[in-house]
């Protein structure tokens, strides 16, 4: 009897999103074969124990998919058949990198691998993009709204979207993601939690720039939004129902860390806007040293990928605001984690604790007063 389950290739399968996708497909026995390819080695990827079986060595290939040779090698299977589904979770997802890094590690990776996929007759290519490709507006953006990337990474994600649509024979689906969070997250919300831990350590007030209404929409990494199928190039926004903004995050963080939180107000925020680089550098200077002290006092010698370092590109008066109704209407998908909750953020902290990354909450600053 022929194997009815599809074969799946996951590019960037050791990344934050990729590893959860690999584990979900593996644990639910959804694929006849899973192939993971990533530039980094599993030993260096900060994998938690629950990912070890899914991301095992027999499924893994190390390689740079921006290179023609690697893509050809990865797509060559022993049985001579093509993969059914390819999920591109790869690329350089760090903020504030040089243009050349994004061109090579994100744009070129997508194009090189996708051209090989089209040549091999892959049934579906799923490209993970970002909601930051839209022009920043207060109201949630639909897939047909004006595009104007407001972070450098998004500029090259959008260019990749446009170039992929030109590849003949590529059955393409594009997913534009909100801020992805969840256990072991080291970006955006993970940074926020680390910052809050430092303010709790210093017994100081944590203040945000701009206003509580600034939208920072989210989606939980455990929501399995991987269904596909609509038109020539279906494009979907992937976002929960929580309408997450700075005020919501402020409320949760104040309760979790038992600290005062607030906003700097219009005058300070406008001044910071004119001197944003200096303001961010000052904030980083004030937070990184006590974070190091916290780690030392907790005897954490291998602290993992989390830290309170603020990326300048993210400290902007720009809304990440998405309308995700098309995806739910077309696919019937329902979010299992419909909004950011206090418990959801606590689970992130518990995930850091499990791997020995997190300074216990009882450790307090021993200096004279606060800043």
């Amino acid at each position: 009897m022929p194997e009815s389950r599809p074969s799946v290739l996951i590019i960037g399968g050791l990344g934050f999103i990729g590893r959860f996708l690999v584990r979900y497909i593996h644990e639910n026995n959804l694929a006849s074969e899973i192939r993971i390819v990533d530039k980094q080695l599993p030993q260096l990827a900060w994998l938690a124990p629950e990912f070890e079986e899914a991301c095992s060595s027999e499924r893994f290939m190390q390689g740079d998919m921006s290179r023609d040779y690697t893509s050809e090698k990865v797509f060559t299977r022993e049985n001579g058949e093509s993969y059914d589904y390819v999920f591109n979770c790869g690329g350089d997802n760090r903020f504030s990198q040089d243009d050349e890094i994004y061109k090579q590690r994100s744009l070129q990776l997508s194009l090189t691998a996708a051209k090989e996929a089209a040549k091999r007759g892959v049934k579906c290519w799923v490209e993970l993009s970002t909601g930051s490709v839209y022009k920043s507006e207060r109201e949630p953006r639909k897939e047909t709204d004006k595009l104007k990337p407001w972070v450098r990474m998004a500029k090259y994600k959008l260019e990749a979207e446009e170039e992929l649509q030109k590849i003949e024979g590529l059955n393409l689906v594009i997913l534009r993601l909100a801020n992805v969070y969840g256990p072991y997250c080291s970006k955006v919300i993970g940074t926020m939690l680390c910052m809050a831990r430092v303010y709790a350590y210093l017994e100081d007030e944590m203040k945000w720039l701009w206003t509580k209404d600034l939208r920072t929409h989210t989606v939980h990494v455990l929501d399995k939004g991987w269904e596909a199928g609509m038109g020539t190039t279906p494009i979907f926004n992937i976002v929960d129902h929580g309408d997450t903004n700075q005020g919501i995050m402020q409320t949760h963080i104040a309760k979790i860390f038992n600290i005062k939180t607030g906003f700097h107000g219009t005058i300070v925020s406008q001044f910071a806007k004119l001197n944003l680089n200096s303001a961010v550098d000052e904030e980083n200077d004030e937070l990184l040293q006590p974070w190091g002290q916290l780690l030392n006092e907790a005897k954490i010698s291998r602290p993992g990928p989390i830290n309170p370092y603020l990326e300048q590109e993210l400290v902007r008066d720009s809304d990440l605001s998405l309308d995700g109704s098309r995806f739910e209407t077309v696919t019937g998908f329902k979010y299992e984690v419909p909004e950011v909750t206090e418990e959801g953020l606590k689970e992130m902290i518990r995930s850091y604790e499990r791997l020995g990354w997190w300074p216990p909450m009882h450790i307090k600053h021993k200096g004279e007063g606060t800043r």
Side-chain angles (χ1 to χ4, degrees), residues 94-114:
R94 297 174 298 169
F95 293 96
S96 306
Q97 301 300 301
D98 292 337
D99 288 72
E100 289 303 316
I101 290 177
Y102 293 125
K103 285 180 184 177
Q104 179 65 30
R105 297 182 184 176
S106 296
L107 175 60
Q108 190 60 47
L109 181 150
S110 292
L111 298 186
T112 300

Side-chain angles (χ1 to χ4, degrees), residues 27-57:
E27 291 182 349
N28 290 278
N29 202 26
L30 298 177
S32 58
E33 178 186 343
I34 305 172
R35 171 62 66 195
I36 305 165
V37 61
D38 204 294
K39 196 173 181 179
Q40 66 179 334
L41 290 168
Q43 296 89 335
L44 303 176
W46 303 101
L47 290 175
E50 60 262 39
F51 297 99
E52 290 178 0
E53 182 179 331
C55 300
S56 60
S57 58

Side-chain angles (χ1 to χ4, degrees), residues 134-205:
Y134 297 106
K135 181 181 179 182
S136 174
E137 298 283 358
R138 294 293 183 185
E139 292 306 310
R141 301 292 85 197
K142 294 180 179 292
E143 290 84 350
T144 52
D145 283 333
K146 184 174 181 179
L147 300 171
K148 187 179 180 181
W150 50 274
V151 294
R152 194 175 300 167
M153 173 181 63
K155 172 185 174 182
Y156 292 98
K157 289 286 190 182
L158 179 57
E159 189 173 341
E161 288 185 22
E162 294 169 344
E163 292 301 317
L164 288 175
Q165 292 179 61
K166 299 175 185 177
I167 298 176
E168 187 175 351
L170 184 68
N171 297 315
L172 174 65
V173 173
I174 296 169
L175 304 181
R176 293 174 177 161
L177 306 179
N179 285 320
V180 184
Y181 73 101
Y184 315 110
C185 170
S186 62
K187 300 287 193 302
V188 187
I189 293 179
T191 300
M192 250 185 239
L193 294 177
C194 290
M195 292 174 65
R197 179 64 189 91
V198 173
Y199 280 106
Y201 173 65
L202 297 173
E203 298 181 330
D204 202 355
E205 182 177 5

Side-chain angles (χ1 to χ4, degrees), residues 193 196 200 249-259 341-347 349 358 361:
L193 294 177
M249 295 302 300
Q250 173 203 24
T251 300
H252 292 327
I253 282 175
K255 291 180 179 178
I256 293 169
F257 292 92
N258 193 28
I259 57 175
T341 63
E342 182 181 337
E343 178 57 31
L345 297 180
K346 286 180 177 178
E347 173 53 32
I349 294 171
W358 190 256
M361 291 298 294

Side-chain angles (χ1 to χ4, degrees), residues 346-362:
K346 286 180 177 178
E347 173 53 32
M348 288 179 64
I349 294 171
R350 288 194 290 270
S351 76
Y352 304 152
E353 290 174 334
R354 286 195 294 272
L355 294 189
W357 297 350
W358 190 256
M361 291 298 294
H362 64 78

